[in-house]
Amino acid sequence: MRNWIYRTNAIVIAVAAIGIFIVLTLFLNSLGTFQLDLTKDRQNTLSDQTITTLQNIKDPVEAMVFIDPSDAQVYTRQVTDLLNEYHKINSKLEVKEYGLLQNPELARQYGVTGSTVVFKHGEQTKLIPVEGMFNFGNADGSTEQEAASASYEFSGEQKLTSGLVALTSSQTYKAYLLNGHNEFNTSTISVLAGELGSENITVSELSLAQQGAVPKDASVLMIIAPQTDLSDAETKVIRQYLDGGGKLFLSLGFNEKAKTSWTNLDSLMSTYGITDTHAVAVEPKDTSLYDPLTIVPEYGNHAITNKLAASDLYTIMSLSIALKQEGKEGWTVTPLLTSSSNSYGETDLSGLLESRTERGSNDLAGPFDLGYAVSSTKGETKAIILGGSTFMMDQSISQQGNLDFVLNSVNDLVGNDSQVTIRPRVEEQYKTAELTLSQARTIFMVTVIVLPLLLVAIGVFLWWRRRRG
């Protein structure tokens, strides 16, 4: 009788274990694309922009990966693995692999000569060379051995997602960058202009002296780092554009004579109830990371900055003019960037040019606002006013959240809400494990022989003890 009870208990336990295993398997399978990323900096987690872009794809898109067999598999595999992750988010993105040698006619049809990803959406195509997704430094990573040992950066998610945005979005925008006042031009902010272009916002330079008006197809007028004031005629033209529903992105430059000579720029800002203090914000923190004129401001509560704040991506500004707001009927002004309470406004601009930053009796007490979003009564963003511009230059735009902040600001202005987001980051290289023959044998012995035998031994020991009892 006792043996029968033991056997029955063993059968019940075995059936329960199998049942739990089946239920757990079904549950995990029902989670679909659920994954847990334990890598440093969540390197294998797709960005917010990528996920949003993939979710917005409504029609089938082909991702054709043409692979040159002479290229190292270590990085062509990284591209195909990433595209397969895209497919998990939206199955309408179908991934197909083709060898260049096996499919020469197909490659020729799309103008492919090397390892390339070709996105096809209807009759439209977008080619993204695999080589452009990698930065190998001094090594070119052309061989398998060199690619495995070389240190490189992978910007595949940036390139692929930008390609999908440009291919699948039917809405395009036009941004005009004002010139004629020693502002930043497209060569000074070429990285920013290129990134705006990848999000379907084309940047063109505009001379009001030549054209006499803001073009009718303008989605936004950008004035970045002017060194001289607008003329009365230019100010009148810009006001006509804004009164007709135009959008303004104004980012101030540094000029020691601004207080006496920027009357028209000041009047444009006063339209929205914003005042230029003509003082440079100084952050007297005891740090070796940044100088006192470089400020890492706190974010305000706005769609432009909320995701940046949640991701701890900061905007780093230098030589920024302190701003303040005075309520004006018809406009809602929201601070985007704010200095700390320890900051002060340096009014001796001539002294700054001679590297004098001591706090004086004429300096202004902080904190200060360094940027605003101005909305109409209907909640539509009409203007972005910023106190500084140097963080948009090519050498600074890639720091921390600088690029995301500017792109979010311009996209919010033009009404492209889906691109007010967090964009992909540059990743480190794949880590490949090189095992020696003895290491491989050890892993085999432990996982395939030792552990199973140990479990069997434990089971036999428990059976023997229960039988003795």
Side-chain angles (χ1 to χ4, degrees):
M1 183 67 178
R2 180 180 299 176
N3 290 337
W4 181 84
I5 293 175
Y6 284 155
R7 292 193 188 97
T8 303
N9 288 341
I11 293 172
V12 171
I13 292 173
V15 171
I18 294 172
I20 292 172
F21 176 79
I22 293 174
V23 171
L24 183 60
T25 301
L26 293 173
F27 171 72
L28 293 175
N29 186 60
S30 69
L31 295 179
T33 59
F34 172 79
Q35 293 175 312
L36 183 61
D37 187 358
L38 300 177
T39 59
K40 179 183 178 182
D41 300 326
R42 296 172 59 85
Q43 185 169 323
N44 294 325
T45 300
L46 297 179
S47 69
D48 183 71
Q49 184 191 36
T50 297
I51 294 174
T52 301
T53 299
L54 291 170
Q55 291 173 340
N56 288 338
I57 294 178
K58 306 303 179 185
D59 302 315
V61 174
E62 278 189 74
M64 296 179 285
V65 186
F66 290 90
I67 298 177
D68 187 337
S70 65
D71 289 334
Q73 292 183 5
V74 69
Y75 66 87
T76 55
R77 186 173 71 247
Q78 190 163 359
V79 175
T80 54
D81 285 352
L82 179 59
L83 285 170
N84 287 325
E85 291 298 315
Y86 281 27
H87 175 75
K88 291 178 184 179
I89 301 297
N90 191 337
S91 60
K92 290 186 180 294
L93 177 71
E94 188 175 359
V95 182
K96 297 180 180 178
E97 295 184 35
Y98 300 95
L100 278 180
L101 296 182
Q102 294 82 2
N103 301 272
E105 289 298 324
L106 186 62
R108 193 176 298 113
Q109 176 184 341
Y110 293 103
V112 173
T113 57
S115 294
T116 304
V117 176
V118 178
F119 285 128
K120 185 177 181 183
H121 181 236
E123 298 300 319
Q124 295 180 306
T125 58
K126 182 76 174 179
L127 275 65
I128 306 172
V130 169
E131 183 181 5
M133 303 181 196
F134 294 84
N135 178 15
F136 284 94
N138 295 329
D140 61 12
S142 57
T143 66
E144 198 75 42
Q145 183 178 2
E146 190 173 46
S149 60
S151 176
Y152 65 82
E153 292 180 333
F154 178 59
S155 59
E157 189 181 349
Q158 289 181 341
K159 306 287 186 182
L160 294 173
T161 299
S162 295
L164 282 174
V165 170
L167 185 67
T168 60
S169 176
S170 59
Q171 185 67 52
T172 59
Y173 308 91
K174 199 68 178 287
Y176 283 94
L177 186 63
L178 190 67
N179 62 27
H181 314 86
N182 294 322
E183 303 97 333
F184 288 172
N185 53 33
T186 50
S187 63
T188 310
I189 55 169
S190 60
V191 174
L192 174 59
E195 292 294 334
L196 286 169
S198 70
E199 298 187 3
N200 289 341
I201 303 175
T202 304
V203 180
S204 301
E205 294 192 19
L206 169 66
S207 172
L208 287 179
Q210 290 180 326
Q211 294 191 233
V214 179
K216 293 182 179 179
D217 64 346
S219 304
V220 59
L221 174 65
M222 302 181 72
I223 308 174
I224 302 180
Q227 297 301 303
T228 59
D229 198 21
L230 304 172
S231 69
D232 293 343
E234 288 173 321
T235 305
K236 182 179 180 181
V237 168
I238 293 173
R239 285 190 180 279
Q240 290 173 346
Y241 164 72
L242 297 176
D243 290 342
K247 308 290 184 67
L248 176 66
F249 182 94
L250 172 59
S251 188
L252 298 177
F254 173 80
N255 190 309
E256 60 175 317
K257 299 179 180 178
K259 187 171 185 178
T260 57
S261 62
W262 283 10
T263 55
N264 285 322
L265 281 169
D266 285 350
S267 69
L268 273 183
M269 289 188 286
S270 67
T271 302
Y272 305 108
I274 297 172
T275 302
D276 180 355
T277 66
H278 299 292
V280 173
V282 178
E283 193 74 76
K285 289 184 177 179
D286 183 17
T287 173
S288 59
L289 188 59
Y290 300 118
D291 62 83
L293 299 181
T294 299
I295 295 180
V296 183
E298 297 177 2
Y299 287 127
N301 183 18
H302 194 277
I304 292 172
T305 56
N306 286 345
K307 290 183 179 180
L308 291 170
S311 300
D312 293 328
L313 289 172
Y314 301 103
T315 301
I316 303 173
M317 305 184 73
S318 61
L319 276 180
S320 182
I321 304 299
L323 306 173
K324 63 181 181 180
Q325 61 168 310
E326 300 171 356
K328 194 143 191 178
E329 187 177 354
W331 302 109
T332 299
V333 179
T334 304
L336 297 176
L337 305 165
T338 305
S339 67
S340 74
S341 57
N342 293 326
S343 63
Y344 67 91
E346 178 61 67
T347 57
D348 183 9
L349 303 188
S350 298
L352 281 182
L353 296 177
E354 299 175 3
S355 301
R356 296 200 309 268
T357 57
E358 296 82 6
R359 186 166 187 170
S361 58
N362 294 326
D363 293 335
L364 308 178
F368 303 104
D369 294 326
L370 306 179
Y372 296 108
V374 182
S375 304
S376 65
T377 53
K378 296 181 179 180
E380 182 183 11
T381 305
K382 289 291 187 179
I384 299 292
I385 311 293
L386 304 176
S389 301
T390 57
F391 70 101
M392 297 184 218
M393 300 174 72
D394 286 347
Q395 60 265 38
S396 303
I397 190 66
S398 298
Q399 294 180 7
Q400 280 279 331
N402 289 0
L403 180 60
D404 279 325
F405 174 77
V406 183
L407 292 177
N408 283 358
S409 297
V410 178
N411 275 293
D412 187 61
L413 268 176
V414 302
N416 191 17
D417 296 338
S418 65
Q419 295 305 313
V420 179
T421 182
I422 300 296
R423 290 151 190 85
R425 302 287 144 193
V426 174
E427 301 175 9
E428 297 177 355
Q429 72 265 35
Y430 257 4
K431 301 295 185 182
T432 55
E434 298 290 339
L435 298 179
T436 64
L437 182 60
S438 62
Q439 289 173 330
R441 286 175 177 171
T442 301
I443 292 174
F444 174 81
M445 291 291 294
V446 171
T447 58
V448 178
I449 297 177
V450 175
L451 287 179
L453 287 178
L454 180 62
L455 292 175
V456 170
I458 293 173
V460 171
F461 174 73
L462 292 176
W463 170 83
W464 178 75
R465 285 197 59 182
R466 296 180 68 178
R467 185 175 180 83
R468 283 190 61 191

